[in-house]
Amino acid sequence: MVVANAVAALAEVQSTSFSTARNFTLESSTVHKLLAALNECTEWGQVFILDSISSHSPQNESQAERIIERATPRLQHANCAVVLSAIKLIVSQLEGIQRSDVVSQVVRKLAPPLVTLLSAEPEIQFVALRNINLVIQRYPEILQEEIKVFFCKYNDPAYVKQEKLEAMVERNVSSLDIFTIIISLKYDKIRPQILDKCGDDPLPR
């Protein structure tokens, strides 16, 4: 608890500082101590720690892989905020890994928790979708086999439908896939906006 509170306080100081220089940097030894303390922290304490480590630049691929390995169990956490923070950390550490096989293996592990978040309340879905759209820009193959999660339900709020369709466009899916989803929005005001982003795809208007 003390460690998490200290990290949260330092992060707050950093975020409110007028200086452009980083006042809060983590050394490699400190990072591993913080990861070891995760099990003793509350859910929000874990969020603060994971978020703080996500700004850490690993010294080498081996260190990045160790950090990812320690953060991966948080992908199965019951708290959505912990899951999202773990995803943020893992994606940031993937930038330090050059081996494509390792990157592909880790990216595949991110898909199930992202899909699970899309079955939560609309507010959580919206936050999850915003994060998914960012991840897709870097790893478009992450939800390649999970197209159905972007299907708009009749009772989805407009802001959730908007993000689902934005995610479809970011994935560069085929015209058939886009049509399959948009056909359910025949009378929805969102439809023309998304069709415009689809460019010259042969979709009925």
Side-chain angles (χ1 to χ4, degrees):
M1 177 65 73
V2 175
V3 173
N5 288 340
V7 171
L10 289 170
E12 181 68 18
V13 170
Q14 175 67 40
S15 65
T16 57
S17 175
F18 292 103
S19 173
T20 56
R22 286 190 58 82
N23 301 319
F24 178 33
T25 56
L26 297 173
E27 296 181 355
S28 298
S29 58
T30 304
V31 168
H32 292 292
K33 289 179 181 178
L34 290 175
L35 289 170
L38 281 174
N39 291 332
E40 308 300 325
C41 296
T42 63
E43 294 173 340
W44 291 110
Q46 294 181 47
V47 170
F48 285 126
I49 289 177
L50 292 169
D51 284 347
S52 65
I53 298 176
S54 65
S55 62
H56 172 71
S57 299
Q59 295 179 341
N60 48 56
E61 289 193 33
S62 178
Q63 185 185 49
E65 289 180 24
R66 287 198 299 271
I67 293 175
I68 290 173
E69 183 180 358
R70 298 293 293 274
T72 298
R74 265 62 200 177
L75 296 176
Q76 301 177 359
H77 202 282
N79 188 297
C80 297
V82 175
V83 175
L84 288 172
S85 292
I87 291 172
K88 177 183 177 181
L89 171 58
I90 291 172
V91 170
S92 69
Q93 296 303 306
L94 282 175
E95 297 296 329
I97 300 179
Q98 302 297 324
R99 291 160 51 197
S100 58
D101 58 327
V102 175
V103 173
S104 298
Q105 182 180 9
V106 174
V107 168
R108 283 197 298 270
K109 293 180 180 179
L110 296 179
L114 288 173
V115 171
T116 300
L117 289 174
L118 293 182
S119 62
E121 296 80 2
E123 295 80 6
I124 295 176
Q125 288 186 50
F126 176 76
V127 176
L129 284 164
R130 293 301 294 268
N131 283 270
I132 286 173
N133 285 337
L134 293 175
V135 175
I136 286 176
Q137 292 176 23
R138 182 66 179 84
Y139 305 104
E141 74 282 3
I142 186 171
L143 295 175
Q144 192 170 8
E145 305 299 327
E146 302 290 347
I147 186 174
K148 289 185 178 181
V149 301
F150 298 109
F151 276 61
C152 297
K153 301 177 182 178
Y154 75 94
N155 58 346
D156 279 342
Y159 58 87
V160 171
K161 291 180 181 178
Q162 179 76 37
E163 292 301 323
K164 284 184 176 181
L165 296 173
E166 290 283 357
M168 288 296 301
V169 175
E170 290 293 343
R171 290 178 73 248
N172 294 321
V173 295
S174 67
S175 298
L176 178 60
D177 289 334
I178 296 176
F179 175 70
T180 302
I181 292 182
I182 293 182
I183 195 64
S184 65
L185 300 175
K186 184 176 181 180
Y187 302 106
D188 201 301
K189 293 181 180 179
I190 297 174
R191 187 172 183 258
Q193 302 171 27
I194 298 301
L195 285 172
D196 289 339
K197 292 188 177 183
C198 293
D200 298 326
D201 285 339
L203 297 177
R205 295 172 184 264

